[in-house]
């Protein structure tokens, strides 16, 4: 190609890059200038798209909306048969996404749930591969439940079946429906549900006596009921599952010995002075009292055994999904912001327990310590790949009378005092635990992200070491590529690490969704803590950001992307099996590059309208199917991922070349890189095109220049750059060097025989062909 043609090509490429940058800048300016409009989140808006019969069977019309929070009568032939309301008008319903989950509920005048419709959510259910229909089916198990009896304290809160992979989401949704219904019933706005009866008994009001402040040992606290315990063995839990109709779960005990301890669970309200000073110590108790708002309570929950009352939901979603605080038919689950981890209990003789947590009761749940309450333990047992059975076990608590005092004014109660919740069948009686020395607990509040980083110390360490190794590979690339065999093993070994450990084990697969979320957070309110809660993702993004300054998109796309590693390794196997490789004409190949940029810009523009909608369309990435879920997903997703990988068997890294929106997102800022590490010779492209022909992703133009937007930094061209048997430039260098060595070395000259004149120069060959070396024509005599 002539110099003028190459210059024209560069000019066209520069214009295309400027046009792309202009489009991106226009999108960003549009996002910054657009007013952040809010969608209509009212009850009127949602019932306008819902038929009355979906909420109560037989209803054919809506009545006049009234009250605050709003309530809409449901009519059948003009007669009221129930009411419709929006759960978020009565209770909180915030899940993984941090956004409300909105549900329309149909309830009849007796307080029975007749219909439920999920109308809006921003939960990443679709992103993690859980069908929404499965979540809704679990929620629909509340239909037909008489929450009037729950509101009266005559029944426990109903529990829904847990959906594996969406535990927190299902719990939040069911809790919200139940709490909102109970609150509505108690408000007296339903015609046939009870309100405060005129003849309700008058009982003297009680309050916690703050003047009773003593310090007792562990045995005393257990003995007088200040600390309540629930003791379960593995066999008792197994029998409870069998009795409740879950034989599959009963057949999967946690340990092989039925007498092994399943859990020892202890609870105590530490906002009561004597209990708090005894369990926390004076210093920690005083600090707790300063942090509590007026009327707010705090409890300690401690456990030991094979089952954890914390579970893992609070790490992934900030919600403790295995315990719930119950009182008078209402319940609340704790979030990470309510939690402080304690090392040990300060009271004398307290056992060393594996898990000790201090919980402050959320403001929306006014826990009355003068009335009975309970902590419900939700026991979950998996019996299949994605199947899980659950059973509730209640640990009731009534504050000992010596901590209470009567107030002067009597009060009228809506219902008789509720008795402590009875434990599930098979519960063992509370017994003393062995006494061990205990240390001082710490009540300092620790951010959630700090706790998560501490829990993932080993993973973080391995990831950091892997990034340091990759940095060394890049900095010492010249030494490494001169040893092709070693470099091949290093590269394939690193790709295996990225696929197996980073991807399939640690699930540290970056996604374009991360980019869209980051941009959206800049527009709506940025918070580092949101991103710090995923330590490996955060570390990888930090490394990618640094890598963009030095090497562009190459470090991630070519080395750290698990799906990219899967593509390259499967293509290597295909080449080893002699699968024919397809090489597209460069003109066609170059015109397919922009597809991934169009996909990214489309997702970016869509995210300005709706992030959740953009996340749905981001399924164009097969990362979640192939890496996060390991192909355990619906057949359309699996078929798409396999189709992409199948194309990659014939065209190496097919998805990376033409479809990957994340690669496009990284290529745009990758243009700001500060260094040029890939070396080229003047002859590259004219006349030699060997690197361009052998580039695995065809990122080298025929005229020789490397397109850094497409380069994955595999360093194959750098291997050629230093190879004096494959690179024509280096072959010439080697031949000249060999010629010079042949002429300059005394051992290459034959000694002259007497009377025969000077010896003939030696014959030098290359690949069996003689190379003519001119004779030395110097004249020693001058």
């Amino acid at each position: 190609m002539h110099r003028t043609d190459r210059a024209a090509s560069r000019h066209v490429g520069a214009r295309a890059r400027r046009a792309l940058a202009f489009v991106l800048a226009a999108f960003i300016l549009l996002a910054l200038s657009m007013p952040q409009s809010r969608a209509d989140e009212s009850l009127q808006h949602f019932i306008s798209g819902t038929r009355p019969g979906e909420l109560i069977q037989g209803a054919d019309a809506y009545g006049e909306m009234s009250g605050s929070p709003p309530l809409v009568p449901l009519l059948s032939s003009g007669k009221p048969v129930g009411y419709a309301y929006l759960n978020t008008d009565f209770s909180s319903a915030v899940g993984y996404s941090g956004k409300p989950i909105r549900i329309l509920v149909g309830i009849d005048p007796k307080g029975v749930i007749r219909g439920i419709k999920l109308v809006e959510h921003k939960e990443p259910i679709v992103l993690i591969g859980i069908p929404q229909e499965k979540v809704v089916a679990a929620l629909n198990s509340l239909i037909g439940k008489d929450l009037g009896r729950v509101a009266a304290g005559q029944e426990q809160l109903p529990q829904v079946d847990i959906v594996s992979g969406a535990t927190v989401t299902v719990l939040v949704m069911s809790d919200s429906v139940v709490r909102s219904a109970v609150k509505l019933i108690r408000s007296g706005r339903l015609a046939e549900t009870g309100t405060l009866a005129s003849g309700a008994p008058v009982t003297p009001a009680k309050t916690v006596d703050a003047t009773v402040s003593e310090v007792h040992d562990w045995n005393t606290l257990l003995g007088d009921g200040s600390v309540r315990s629930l003791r379960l063995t593995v066999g008792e839990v197994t029998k409870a599952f069998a009795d409740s109709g879950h034989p599959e779960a009963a057949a999967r005990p946690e340990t092989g010995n039925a007498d092994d301890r399943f859990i020892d669970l202890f609870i105590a309200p530490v906002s009561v002075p004597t209990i708090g000073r005894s369990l926390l110590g004076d210093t920690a108790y005083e600090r707790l009292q300063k942090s509590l708002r007026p009327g707010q309570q705090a409890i300690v929950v401690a456990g030991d055994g094979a089952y954890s009352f914390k579970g893992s939901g609070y790490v992934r979603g900030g919600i403790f999904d295995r315990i719930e605080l119950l009182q008078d038919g209402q319940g609340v689950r704790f979030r990470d912001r309510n939690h402080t981890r304690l090392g040990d209990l300060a009271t004398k003789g307290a056992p060393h327990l594996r898990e000790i947590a201090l919980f402050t009761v959320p403001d929306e749940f006014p826990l009355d310590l003068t009335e009975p309450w309970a902590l419900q333990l939700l026991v979950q047992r998996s019996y299949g790949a994605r199947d899980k059975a659950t059973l509730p076990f209640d640990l009731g608590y009534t504050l000992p009378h010596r901590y209470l005092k009567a107030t002067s004014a009597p009060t009228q109660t809506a219902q008789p005092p509720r008795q402590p919740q009875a434990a599930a069948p098979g519960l063992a009686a509370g017994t003393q635990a062995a006494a061990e020395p205990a240390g001082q607990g710490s009540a300092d509040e620790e951010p959630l992200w700090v706790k998560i980083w501490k829990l993932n110390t080993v993973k973080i360490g391995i990831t950091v070491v892997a990034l340091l190794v990759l940095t060394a590979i890049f900095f010492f690339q010249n030494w490494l590529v001169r040893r092709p065999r070693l470099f091949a093993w290093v590269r394939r070994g690193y790709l295996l690490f990225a696929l197996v450990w980073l991807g399939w084990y640690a699930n540290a697969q970056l996604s374009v969704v991360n980019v869209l979320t980051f941009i959206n957070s800049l527009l709506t309110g940025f918070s580092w803590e949101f991103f710090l809660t995923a330590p490996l993702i955060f570390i990888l993004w930090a490394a990618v950001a640094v890598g963009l300054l030095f090497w562009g998109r190459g470090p991630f796309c070519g080395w750290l992307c698990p799906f990219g590693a899967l593509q390259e390794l499967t293509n290597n196997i295909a080449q080893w099996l002699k699968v024919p490789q397809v090489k597209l004409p460069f003109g066609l190949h170059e015109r397919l590059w922009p597809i991934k940029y169009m996909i990214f810009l489309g997702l970016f523009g869509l995210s300005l309208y709706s992030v959740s909608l953009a996340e749905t369309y981001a399924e164009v990435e097969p990362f979640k199917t192939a890496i996060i879920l390991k192909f355990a997903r619906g057949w359309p997703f699996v078929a798409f991922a396999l189709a992409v990988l199948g194309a990659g068997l014939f065209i190496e890294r097919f998805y990376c070349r033409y479809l990957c929106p994340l690669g496009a997102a990284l290529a745009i800022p990758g243009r700001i890189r500060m260094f040029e590490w890939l070396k080229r010779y003047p002859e590259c492209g004219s006349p030699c095109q060997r690197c361009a022909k052998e580039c695995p992703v065809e990122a080298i133009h025929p005229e020789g220049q490397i397109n850094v937007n497409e380069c994955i930094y595999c360093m194959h061209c750098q291997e050629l750059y230093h190879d004096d048997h494959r690179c024509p430039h280096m072959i010439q260098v080697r031949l000249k060097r060999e010629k010079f060595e042949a002429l300059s070395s005394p051992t290459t000259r034959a000694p002259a025989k007497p009377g025969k004149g000077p010896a003939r120069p030696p014959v030098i060959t290359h690949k069996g062909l003689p190379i003519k070396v001119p004779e030395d024509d110097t004249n020693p005599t001058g």
Side-chain angles (χ1 to χ4, degrees), residues 345-365:
L345 297 174
T347 187
K348 182 180 179 182
H352 178 74
L353 300 170
R354 181 163 62 95
E355 294 178 325
I356 307 175
L358 171 64
F359 292 107
T360 55
V361 180
D363 293 331
E364 65 267 20
F365 188 85

Side-chain angles (χ1 to χ4, degrees), residues 227-349:
V227 175
R228 299 295 175 93
S229 64
L230 168 66
R231 306 277 179 98
L232 292 172
T233 64
V234 173
E236 290 169 339
V237 174
T238 298
K239 183 177 183 300
F241 273 113
D243 293 343
S244 63
H246 292 92
E248 304 92 346
R252 298 289 297 272
E254 287 72 19
T255 66
N257 187 355
D259 295 328
D260 284 348
R261 179 172 52 183
F262 179 79
I263 192 171
D264 288 348
L265 187 66
F266 302 91
I267 59 172
V270 289
S271 47
V272 176
T274 295
I275 301 175
R277 292 188 185 279
S278 300
L279 294 180
L280 303 179
D282 289 336
T283 303
Y285 172 75
E286 295 296 340
R287 188 162 51 240
L288 171 65
Q289 285 298 318
K290 292 177 182 178
S291 67
L292 293 177
R293 286 178 286 278
Q296 189 177 26
Q297 309 297 339
I299 67 172
V300 158
V301 182
D304 204 357
Y307 191 72
S308 165
F309 71 82
K310 289 186 177 181
S312 59
Y314 80 102
V315 176
R316 295 177 284 107
I319 297 178
F320 291 82
D321 57 6
R322 294 185 176 182
I323 55 175
E324 183 174 12
L325 188 62
L326 306 174
Q327 188 174 53
D328 291 335
Q330 287 278 53
V332 68
R333 281 190 168 84
F334 299 106
R335 299 187 70 92
D336 56 86
R337 59 176 173 268
N338 311 122
H339 167 253
T340 300
R341 185 182 63 84
L342 301 180
D344 277 309
L345 297 174
T347 187
K348 182 180 179 182

Side-chain angles (χ1 to χ4, degrees), residues 357-663:
L358 171 64
F359 292 107
T360 55
V361 180
D363 293 331
E364 65 267 20
F365 188 85
L367 176 65
D368 184 359
L369 293 180
T370 66
E371 297 294 335
W373 55 276
L375 186 79
Q376 185 175 84
L377 175 70
L378 194 65
V379 175
Q380 304 169 358
R381 185 177 279 184
S382 299
Y383 56 87
R386 305 190 68 84
D387 296 313
K388 185 184 295 183
T390 60
L391 273 184
F393 292 83
D394 290 353
L395 173 54
Y397 190 97
T398 301
L399 190 67
H401 289 292
R402 67 189 187 88
Y403 297 126
L404 302 174
K405 66 178 181 179
T407 59
S408 57
T411 61
Q412 188 180 43
T413 59
Q415 58 209 28
R418 182 169 163 229
Q419 297 302 315
Q421 296 277 354
L427 302 189
T431 58
Q432 287 188 4
E436 294 181 16
Q440 174 67 43
S442 171
D444 292 334
E445 186 63 30
E446 197 174 41
L448 173 64
W449 71 268
V450 175
K451 303 171 191 173
I452 295 176
W453 282 62
K454 289 180 179 179
L455 290 172
N456 290 275
T457 304
V458 175
K459 290 183 179 180
I460 291 170
I462 293 174
T463 304
V464 170
V465 170
L467 292 174
L468 292 175
V469 169
L470 183 59
T471 303
I473 290 173
F474 284 173
F475 272 98
F476 299 100
Q477 66 181 41
N478 289 337
W479 179 88
L480 196 56
V481 295
R482 284 189 172 99
R483 295 157 177 82
R485 289 181 179 272
L486 174 63
F487 177 70
W489 282 106
V490 168
R491 177 159 175 77
R492 286 172 185 163
Y494 204 95
L495 291 177
L496 276 173
F497 166 81
L499 173 61
V500 177
W501 194 87
L502 272 182
W504 286 337
Y505 177 74
N507 288 341
Q509 169 72 66
L510 303 189
S511 166
V512 72
V513 174
N514 304 137
V515 179
L516 302 178
T517 304
F518 179 77
I519 295 173
N520 182 259
S521 70
L522 292 177
L523 300 175
T524 59
F526 183 79
S527 173
W528 278 114
E529 290 194 10
F530 177 80
F531 297 96
L532 286 168
T533 52
L536 297 190
I537 299 296
F538 181 85
I539 291 172
L540 286 176
W541 272 115
V544 169
V546 174
L548 289 174
L549 296 175
F550 283 80
W551 301 283
R553 62 175 277 203
F556 173 74
C557 295
W559 295 80
L560 292 172
C561 177
F563 189 76
L566 178 61
Q567 288 183 93
E568 183 165 330
L569 292 172
T570 52
N571 180 266
N572 289 345
I573 295 173
Q575 292 188 41
W576 181 70
L577 294 174
K578 308 299 182 184
V579 174
Q581 299 298 295
V582 178
K583 189 174 180 66
L584 299 180
F586 189 81
L588 174 61
H589 169 67
E590 189 176 27
R591 283 159 179 76
L592 293 177
W593 279 342
I595 294 177
K596 58 180 175 287
Y597 295 94
M598 296 177 186
I599 294 174
F600 169 68
L601 290 176
L603 292 174
F604 176 70
L606 193 60
S607 71
L608 301 180
Y609 169 73
S610 169
V611 175
S612 60
L613 191 60
E615 290 174 348
T616 301
Y617 282 98
E619 287 293 349
V620 70
E621 289 181 329
F623 303 164
K624 288 172 281 295
T625 301
I627 304 300
I628 305 300
L629 298 173
K630 306 174 190 66
F631 297 99
R633 206 175 184 190
W635 72 264
F637 299 100
V638 174
F640 174 67
L642 292 177
V644 169
L645 290 172
L649 298 178
F650 302 92
I651 301 176
E652 186 169 348
R653 285 186 178 253
F654 171 84
Y655 181 80
C656 296
R657 294 192 196 193
Y658 308 124
L659 300 178
C660 182
L662 179 58

